[in-house]
Amino acid sequence: MASQLSRIMRPDDANVAGNVHGGTVLKMIEEAGAIISTRHCNSQNGERCVAALARVERTDFLSPMCIGEVAHVSAEITYTSKHSVEVQVNVMSENILTGTKKLTNKATLWYVPLSLKNVDKVLEVPPVVYSRQEQEEEGRKRYEAQKLERMETKWRNGDIVQPVQNPEPNTVSYSQSSLIHLVGPSDCTLHGFVHGGVTMKLMDEVAGIVAARHCKTNIVTASVDAINFHDKIRKGCVITISGRMTFTSNKSMEIEVLVDADPVVDNSQKRYRAASAFFTYVSLSQEGKSLPVPQLVPETEDEKKRFEEGKGRYLQMKAKRQGHTEPQP
């Protein structure tokens, strides 16, 4: 089963330099994933449901997309467990003046089917037919790995971003940013909870503000580490999306983004952590060339700890990329 969406990139999809926002691309990716997974979960007779986004695996932005290009987003279901669906999505950009096409993104998303009668009830997923037995075994390994990491991440980041008066340049406090958003009907599914793509777009927007404040140049999303959706966000909630820089290499910045939901119309529920992720940004010159990044100055013990953790993630991903590019003996 496959699905495809296409849309031309408009000026309001891009930054001042004409590069399409990473959040715009993430939102399109999620829309394609939601369509194909919801369609699959309703392919058999039984209780009707809608597929809700639970997690997005690490996503690399392989090539920038520009205003006027057409984005072609294709989605395919690659694995199903009893209660979840794995969807793999590819994004191609097309220059309709020259016909040139290039791969800009590859992403893996996980969805769970929620009953239309009760959105807190997770339903069973119809199984898919695999062309090879190895596909099912490989999918099961990916499922177990993401399930474990999602649980670990949920309890790891319970802290919040606090404002600091008169911060010094290049410190965490200087660039940290927050956005407060009242969840309205246009942000939600027909059943009253926020589209995963809306949340990801807001997260990328805050991460972009942090990166721009830090280096004061044109910045673009380079990659997004796994985005974990810990709990649903309902219509009427006030969400706070907070971003802080955690690590800088010579030419990249890692930004942690936390999403907290405050159900202001429901006194029975307290504020809760709804989503979290790490975004990586790079700084570009006016000609689109990579620029050195001002080095982050961690001040507190917590900031120094997060810096070392970010450095570990950076070195691990760098080693993984080099392993992929080395020629085979």
Side-chain angles (χ1 to χ4, degrees):
M1 182 183 291
S3 177
Q4 183 160 331
L5 302 175
S6 296
R7 183 162 80 78
I8 193 165
M9 296 295 97
R10 303 182 301 266
D12 57 345
D13 294 317
N15 62 18
V16 292
N19 302 121
V20 173
H21 292 295
T24 299
V25 179
L26 290 170
K27 191 169 185 287
M28 290 189 296
I29 287 172
E30 197 279 328
E31 287 173 353
I35 290 171
I36 193 171
S37 52
T38 298
R39 185 181 289 155
H40 175 76
C41 291
N42 289 282
S43 60
Q44 296 183 358
N45 292 331
E47 194 169 343
R48 293 305 172 195
C49 62
V50 61
L53 184 62
R55 176 179 166 90
V56 182
E57 301 291 358
R58 179 183 171 88
T59 304
D60 289 304
F61 289 73
L62 307 173
S63 179
M65 200 182 304
C66 300
I67 295 170
E69 292 185 330
V70 174
H72 300 286
V73 187
S74 57
E76 181 181 9
I77 292 175
T78 48
Y79 178 75
T80 57
S81 69
K82 185 177 181 180
H83 295 293
S84 64
V85 182
E86 180 192 55
V87 180
Q88 293 192 0
V89 181
N90 288 340
V91 183
M92 300 285 296
S93 67
E94 178 190 5
N95 183 323
I96 53 177
L97 301 180
T98 64
T100 305
K101 292 184 179 180
K102 57 187 176 183
L103 179 68
T104 63
N105 295 82
K106 297 177 73 173
T108 301
L109 304 90
W110 293 89
Y111 289 84
V112 292
L114 304 179
S115 168
L116 293 184
K117 297 178 181 177
N118 176 10
V119 293
D120 293 319
K121 180 183 177 183
V122 179
L123 301 180
E124 291 190 11
V125 176
V128 294
V129 178
Y130 303 97
S131 57
R132 296 180 295 107
Q133 185 178 353
E134 293 82 1
Q135 288 179 314
E136 184 174 9
E137 294 171 355
E138 291 164 359
R140 186 179 296 112
K141 290 178 182 177
R142 294 192 299 271
Y143 166 75
E144 294 296 340
Q146 64 84 28
K147 185 178 179 182
L148 179 63
E149 186 177 335
R150 195 167 73 232
M151 290 303 298
E152 290 176 347
T153 306
K154 183 173 184 178
W155 304 114
R156 188 180 68 217
N157 46 25
D159 58 336
I160 59 175
V161 177
Q162 298 284 6
V164 174
Q165 296 295 321
N166 302 317
E168 293 292 325
N170 299 336
T171 62
V172 175
S173 303
Y174 184 81
S175 60
Q176 70 181 29
S177 304
S178 294
L179 183 155
I180 298 174
H181 179 76
L182 175 64
V183 175
S186 63
D187 300 317
C188 298
T189 66
L190 295 175
H191 313 97
F193 55 88
V194 176
H195 288 288
V198 170
T199 305
M200 290 194 292
K201 193 171 187 296
L202 291 169
M203 293 172 79
D204 179 73
E205 187 175 327
V206 169
I209 293 171
V210 173
R213 278 180 167 171
H214 180 76
C215 61
K216 296 180 173 60
T217 61
N218 178 33
I219 46 87
V220 293
T221 314
S223 66
V224 185
D225 247 13
I227 302 177
N228 292 286
F229 293 83
H230 309 304
D231 210 338
K232 296 185 293 296
I233 303 172
R234 296 181 183 275
K235 182 171 63 179
C237 281
V238 172
I239 56 174
T240 303
I241 306 98
S242 304
R244 61 187 172 200
M245 194 159 295
T246 50
F247 170 76
T248 53
S249 67
N250 184 39
K251 291 190 176 180
S252 68
M253 301 162 276
E254 182 191 72
I255 297 145
E256 183 179 28
V257 181
L258 310 172
V259 181
D260 294 307
D262 188 1
V264 290
V265 295
D266 182 3
N267 293 329
S268 65
Q269 193 174 7
K270 295 181 180 179
R271 181 185 175 109
Y272 61 93
R273 177 63 40 82
S276 58
F278 290 99
F279 287 71
T280 299
Y281 273 75
V282 293
S283 173
L284 298 180
S285 68
Q286 292 183 345
E287 294 75 32
K289 303 294 184 181
S290 180
L291 291 174
V293 170
Q295 290 306 288
L296 182 67
V297 181
E299 298 176 297
T300 69
E301 289 304 313
D302 283 344
E303 289 171 0
K304 291 174 183 177
K305 180 183 177 184
R306 286 194 290 268
F307 187 92
E308 290 302 316
E309 291 172 346
K311 183 178 180 180
R313 286 186 291 270
Y314 167 77
L315 293 174
Q316 185 179 25
M317 189 50 57
K318 185 177 180 181
K320 188 175 180 180
R321 281 200 303 266
Q322 290 174 342
H324 284 166
T325 57
E326 287 176 2
Q328 298 298 317

